[in-house]
């Protein structure tokens, strides 16, 4: 026990002190965080003790209550992005902001964001200033679900608040083994569109290609069995890292595999969802063979579309303020 | 003559965005020259010795780059101007260094004195250095550029940790403007004059581009936010060359292009001729954006 008590890890999401397991699934001598003191989260709150001025909004990820406040102010969409770890969740979400930095995305104009600080932090590993050799996005290290926010509009149209949920990929991976875990996934039951990611890099890899689809379908099954899916939300099935597939020796096979996963999802779960549509995306390509954010504009347009009326007990999009909060906070209405 | 009302303009901008040069040129136009054609006239200076402004004006007149003076390192400059109807207009430079504005993005806090000014102002004059805009550049672009130059990115390069100061210019500016509307500040100003300083650098390459076109191309996030955002800004975009070209830099004597520019500027009969304000029509009245903000 004495040894356990002395174990330390710089990763705040890792529970190696409690269960002896590396959250990243690595051998302890291979993990860059193991054996180091707990790192302070890269958050503006770290400097709060030294503040002498007027405190301004943090610009960091929103918690459930803050997200509820945004949802109350007008037309909005809640997007859940679901995938095991390292499938490109945060890269995809951050690419929306990265594209707006370069101009409108298709018909969409940027109107503002309450999480610009968080977006910037998420974009950093994919920027030249990071000195990374290939684009990366920091792995999501959250202890609970958090939300990115971007306000956008079509020219002359109303402003739409897009609230996109981000949580540890491990949480979704765990659900495949224990469906009761989905009870905590408030973003799933509240989502207008659930976006499932299929990791293109793994699909192009001969070793992992056979398990990518089954792992994702197991997560979907857990969400359905655990009762997280409410009101027949829409589904975007997204093939990420398309540039890795295009560079692979057998890109056609990988694309055929994706079509099979799409077909299986429809075969097993079409009844649970209002609509299922597939997309191919390269949010942050490693080279210039595909443009930055390839396919993101189409996905954004899908996220914007109004959800169809649910068959049973539809969840109205705009109702009482308390309802939004309760739904995001997971408390009974 | 009686004072009928008072307007207030706050000068904002990140570090090295052209605020000090603007102040030097403005001081020359309204105080030293007492330009009769300027829309606004000098009334009074509050809380600061004239010597500081005279010093930065002297360097401006001699076509020498500004150095970090006491003024530039944090002292507030407050100047009263008046329009043709004797309406008093208070122009405040809360922080010429620009560090307070950078702190709003990096440390997420606002100096209480700056906050007080922002809560009372009618208009914001926002400076952006047109030739020093930090753009987002992706890893793939950087790698391609390095490969094109025959260098390549060394595989052993150690990754750099994120720091908010690395954020592109547009991100910092949009966030600053969003913060003016937050509950903690609640700035009432509706009018916003965006001044693209060092406009002569832009005109060298693109003599016919308008300031608003340049803003849309170089700072698209800011442009989208200003056009479509929910914060309700009434915006005008100006291009300003308050120097007329490169100034002499202390210790640099062997830069021929710079020396030619300095000689050309010094040869002008009237120092105000070096001021070019694109509204988008050409003007040399520096007070015009301030007059618009408070009309």
């Amino acid at each position: 026990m004495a040894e356990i008590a002395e174990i330390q890890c710089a990763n705040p999401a890792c529970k190696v002190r409690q269960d002896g397991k590396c959250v990243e699934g690595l051998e302890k001598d291979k993990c860059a965080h193991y054996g180091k003191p707990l790192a302070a989260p890269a958050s503006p709150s770290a400097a709060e003790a030294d503040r002498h001025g007027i405190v301004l909004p943090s610009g960091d990820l929103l918690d459930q209550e803050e997200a509820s406040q945004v949802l109350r102010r007008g037309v909005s969409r809640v997007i859940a992005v679901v995938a095991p770890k390292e499938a490109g969740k945060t890269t995809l979400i951050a690419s929306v902001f990265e594209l707006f930095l370069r101009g409108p995305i298709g018909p969409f104009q940027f109107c503002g964001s309450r999480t610009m600080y968080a977006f910037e932090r998420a974009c950093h590993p994919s920027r030249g200033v990071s000195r990374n050799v290939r684009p990366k996005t920091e792995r999501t290290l959250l202890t609970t679900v958090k939300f990115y926010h971007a306000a956008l509009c079509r020219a002359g149209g109303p402003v739409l608040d897009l609230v996109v949920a981000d949580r540890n990929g491990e949480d979704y991976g765990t659900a495949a083994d224990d469906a009761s875990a989905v009870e905590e996934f408030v973003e799933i039951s509240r989502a207008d569109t659930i976006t499932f990611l299929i990791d293109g890099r793994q699909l192009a890899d001969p070793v992992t290609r056979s398990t990518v689809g089954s792992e994702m379908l197991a997560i979907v099954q857990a969400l359905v069995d655990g009762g997280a899916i409410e009101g027949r939300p829409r589904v975007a099935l997204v093939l990420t890292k398309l540039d890795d597939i295009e560079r692979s020796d057998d890109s056609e096979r990988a694309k055929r595999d994706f079509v099979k996963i799409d077909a299986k999802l429809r075969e097993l779960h079409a009844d649970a969802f209002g609509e299922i549509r597939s997309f191919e995306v390269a949010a942050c390509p490693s080279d210039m063979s595909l443009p930055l954010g390839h396919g993101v504009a189409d996905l954004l347009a899908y996220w914007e579309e109004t959800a169809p009326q649910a068959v049973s007990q539809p969840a109205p999009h705009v109702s009482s303020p308390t309802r939004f909060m309760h739904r995001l906070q997971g408390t009974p209405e | 003559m009686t004072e009928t009302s008072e307007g207030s303009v706050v000068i904002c901008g990140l570090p090295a965005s052209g605020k000090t040069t603007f102040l030097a040129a403005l001081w020359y136009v309204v105080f030293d020259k007492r330009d009769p054609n300027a829309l606004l006239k000098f009334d009074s200076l509050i809380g600061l010795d004239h010597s500081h402004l005279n010093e930065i004006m002297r360097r401006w007149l001699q076509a020498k780059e500004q150095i970090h003076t006491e003024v530039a390192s944090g002292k507030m400059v407050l100047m009263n101007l008046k329009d043709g109807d004797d309406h008093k207009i208070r122009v405040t430079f809360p922080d010429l260094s620009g560090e307070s504005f950078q702190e709003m993005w990096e440390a997420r806090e606002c100096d209480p004195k700056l906050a007080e000014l922002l809560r009372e102002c009618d208009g914001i004059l926002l400076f952006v250095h047109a030739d020093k805009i930090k753009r987002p550049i992706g890893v793939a672009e950087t790698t391609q550029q390095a490969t094109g130059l025959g260098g390549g990115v060394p595989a052993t390069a150690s990754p750099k940790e994120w720091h908010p100061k690395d954020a592109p210019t547009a991100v910092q500016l949009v966030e600053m403007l969003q913060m003016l509307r937050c509950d903690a500040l609640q700035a009432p100003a509706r009018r916003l004059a965006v001044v693209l300083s060092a406009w002569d650098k832009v005109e060298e390459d693109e003599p016919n581009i308008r300031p608003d076109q340049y803003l849309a191309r170089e700072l698209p996030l800011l442009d989208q936010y200003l056009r479509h955002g929910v914060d309700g800004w009434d915006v005008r975009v100006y291009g300003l060359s308050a120097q007329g070209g490169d100034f002499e830099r202390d210790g640099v004597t062997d830069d021929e292009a710079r020396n030619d520019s300095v000689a050309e500027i010094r040869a002008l009969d009237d120092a105000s001729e070096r001021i070019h304000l694109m509204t988008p029509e050409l003007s040399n009245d520096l007070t015009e954006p301030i007059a618009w903000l408070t009309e």
Side-chain angles (χ1 to χ4, degrees):
Chain A
M1 286 302 289
E3 279 186 14
I4 295 285
E6 287 165 13
I7 290 173
Q8 53 182 358
C9 178
N11 183 347
C14 185
K15 296 179 179 141
V16 66
R17 289 190 74 225
Q18 288 82 36
D19 57 17
K21 294 177 186 170
C22 173
V23 73
E24 299 188 17
L26 300 169
E27 295 296 325
K28 286 165 189 153
D29 58 345
K30 300 256 173 58
C31 178
H33 304 296
Y34 184 76
K36 294 178 183 170
L38 186 64
S43 159
S45 61
E48 274 179 11
D50 298 329
R51 285 185 187 282
H52 59 274
I54 291 171
V55 177
L56 299 171
S58 73
D60 214 333
L61 291 166
L62 306 178
D63 61 24
Q64 292 174 42
E65 186 171 340
E66 291 165 333
S68 297
Q69 288 169 3
V70 171
L71 296 176
R72 283 202 294 272
R73 71 180 190 179
V75 184
S76 62
R77 301 283 184 272
V78 177
I79 310 298
V81 183
V82 179
K85 64 181 181 183
E86 295 183 24
K89 284 195 307 296
T90 308
T91 304
L92 176 65
I93 299 168
S95 73
V96 173
F97 185 69
E98 193 70 71
L99 288 174
F100 272 135
L101 262 167
R102 288 159 169 81
I105 305 176
F108 300 108
Q109 304 277 342
F110 174 81
C111 300
S113 168
R114 294 200 180 182
T115 56
M116 289 183 58
Y117 196 89
F119 271 128
E120 266 303 302
R121 188 176 55 222
C123 288
H124 172 76
S126 300
R127 298 239 181 95
V129 70
S130 71
R131 297 192 205 130
N132 284 328
V133 179
R134 58 183 296 166
K136 293 181 187 173
T137 304
E138 289 298 322
R139 286 199 41 225
T140 305
L141 298 174
L142 299 171
T143 53
T144 183
V145 66
K146 295 276 187 176
F147 300 87
Y148 288 90
H149 165 253
L152 49 94
C153 71
R154 291 174 182 267
V159 173
L160 174 78
D161 283 308
L162 195 66
V163 174
V164 186
D166 196 14
R167 83 155 60 230
N168 276 353
E170 285 83 357
D171 290 356
Y172 292 123
T174 302
D177 299 326
D178 177 10
S180 67
V182 307
E183 289 173 11
E184 295 177 9
F185 297 172
V186 291
E187 74 278 16
I188 301 294
S189 52
R190 175 60 188 86
D192 296 290
T193 300
I194 303 175
T195 303
F196 295 110
L197 306 190
I198 299 295
D199 186 340
R201 189 175 299 158
Q202 290 192 36
L203 206 56
D205 185 330
V207 177
T208 51
R209 62 176 282 258
S210 303
T211 54
V212 180
S214 56
E215 284 174 4
M216 175 51 72
L217 290 167
I219 292 173
V220 179
Q221 188 70 53
L223 296 178
V224 172
D225 293 347
I229 308 294
E230 291 182 17
R232 301 189 74 223
R234 307 160 80 239
V235 163
L237 183 67
V238 178
L239 177 61
T240 63
K241 305 174 190 172
L242 184 64
D243 55 311
D244 277 307
I245 288 184
E246 299 291 8
R247 280 193 299 272
S248 70
D249 293 336
D250 199 344
S251 61
E252 290 308 312
R253 187 185 67 187
K255 288 181 180 177
R256 283 197 304 274
D257 285 346
F258 179 63
V259 170
K260 288 177 190 169
I261 295 166
D262 182 21
K264 195 72 177 174
L265 176 66
R266 291 170 194 274
E267 178 191 331
L268 295 175
H269 301 295
D271 292 345
F273 302 113
E275 181 184 2
I276 298 172
R277 205 182 297 177
S278 62
F279 298 85
E280 294 181 351
V281 165
C284 192
S286 298
D287 58 25
M288 304 295 278
S289 59
L290 288 172
L292 183 77
H294 173 86
V296 171
D298 290 340
L299 181 61
L300 192 57
Y302 186 65
W303 284 353
E304 178 222 18
E305 286 176 25
T306 309
Q309 287 293 309
V311 172
S312 62
Q313 297 296 313
H317 209 75
V318 177
S319 65
S320 75
T322 51
R323 186 170 187 280
F324 277 123
M325 188 171 298
H326 286 160
R327 292 199 63 139
L328 270 178
Q329 292 182 334
T331 49
E333 293 171 31
Chain B
M1 281 190 278
T2 55
E3 293 166 6
T4 52
S5 64
E6 186 169 299
S8 171
V9 170
V10 175
I11 314 295
C12 302
L14 296 169
S17 55
K19 299 183 295 298
T20 306
T21 302
F22 174 77
L23 174 58
L26 182 67
W27 186 240
Y28 169 75
V29 169
V30 301
F31 182 75
D32 193 72
K33 188 182 176 190
R34 308 269 171 167
D35 188 342
N37 298 317
L39 286 171
L40 304 177
K41 310 286 191 293
F42 179 73
D43 183 83
S44 60
L45 187 69
I46 301 168
L48 194 71
D49 193 302
H50 285 209
S51 64
H52 297 291
L53 294 182
N54 289 339
E55 172 58 22
I56 61 171
M57 183 183 71
R58 189 178 61 82
R59 291 191 70 85
W60 180 79
L61 284 168
Q62 293 177 351
K64 292 181 177 177
E65 284 190 350
Q66 298 294 339
I67 51 177
H68 279 285
T69 60
E70 190 182 345
V71 174
S73 62
K75 216 164 198 175
M76 187 180 294
V77 177
L78 206 159
M79 193 187 298
N80 279 330
L81 304 177
K82 59 187 175 186
D83 66 13
D85 297 324
D86 271 344
H87 295 149
K88 197 173 271 190
I89 295 164
R90 193 177 60 193
V91 181
T92 312
F93 294 74
D95 175 19
L96 284 170
S97 74
E99 287 164 9
S100 300
F101 301 104
Q102 197 165 29
E103 285 292 290
M104 290 173 72
W105 161 252
E106 291 185 21
R108 322 302 293 186
E109 65 180 25
C110 182
D111 180 274
K113 287 179 186 166
L114 173 59
E116 196 178 324
L117 286 167
L118 292 169
R119 288 188 192 118
E120 295 171 352
C121 74
D122 303 302
I124 303 284
L125 199 61
L126 176 64
F127 277 81
V128 182
H129 197 294
D131 200 36
K132 291 181 181 169
I133 292 170
K134 196 190 299 176
R135 298 168 182 79
I137 301 174
V139 169
E141 296 165 79
T142 308
T143 305
Q144 190 191 45
Q145 286 170 4
T147 306
L149 293 170
V153 178
T156 54
S158 56
K160 181 174 179 284
E161 289 291 312
W162 179 70
H163 190 283
K165 75 174 186 313
D166 294 330
T169 305
V171 173
Q172 299 190 43
L173 294 177
V174 170
E175 187 73 309
M176 183 202 304
L177 293 171
Q178 289 191 143
M179 283 173 167
L180 298 190
R181 295 287 190 249
C182 77
D183 291 343
L185 296 181
Q186 296 185 348
R190 291 290 152 198
R191 287 196 167 181
L192 171 72
V194 180
V195 178
L196 300 170
S197 65
W199 188 248
D200 50 294
K201 295 285 184 189
V202 176
E203 284 186 318
E204 276 177 15
D205 298 327
E206 300 175 279
N208 298 318
I209 194 168
R210 293 197 320 262
D212 61 324
Q213 291 173 325
Y214 188 79
L215 180 90
R217 191 186 68 196
E218 300 298 321
L219 294 161
L221 191 84
L222 177 63
D223 179 67
Q224 293 172 79
Y225 163 76
L226 292 176
R227 289 175 189 274
H228 304 285
V230 295
D231 292 332
W233 295 106
D234 181 7
V235 185
R236 277 192 186 176
V237 184
Y238 298 87
L240 173 65
S241 174
Q243 296 189 167
D246 287 333
F247 275 15
E248 180 182 307
R249 183 173 293 169
D250 286 349
V252 178
T253 56
D254 57 352
D255 184 338
E256 279 191 29
R258 182 179 292 272
N259 292 342
D260 289 346
S261 168
V262 171
E264 203 173 305
I265 291 165
R266 287 173 179 163
L268 292 171
D269 289 336
D270 181 348
S272 62
E273 286 177 34
R274 64 180 76 171
I275 299 169
H276 287 184
L277 181 72
M278 302 300 294
T279 66
E281 288 76 32
L282 181 61
S283 163
N284 60 6
D285 182 3
L286 276 183
T287 69
E288 192 173 314
I290 300 169
W292 174 71
L293 287 169
T294 53
E295 72 183 15

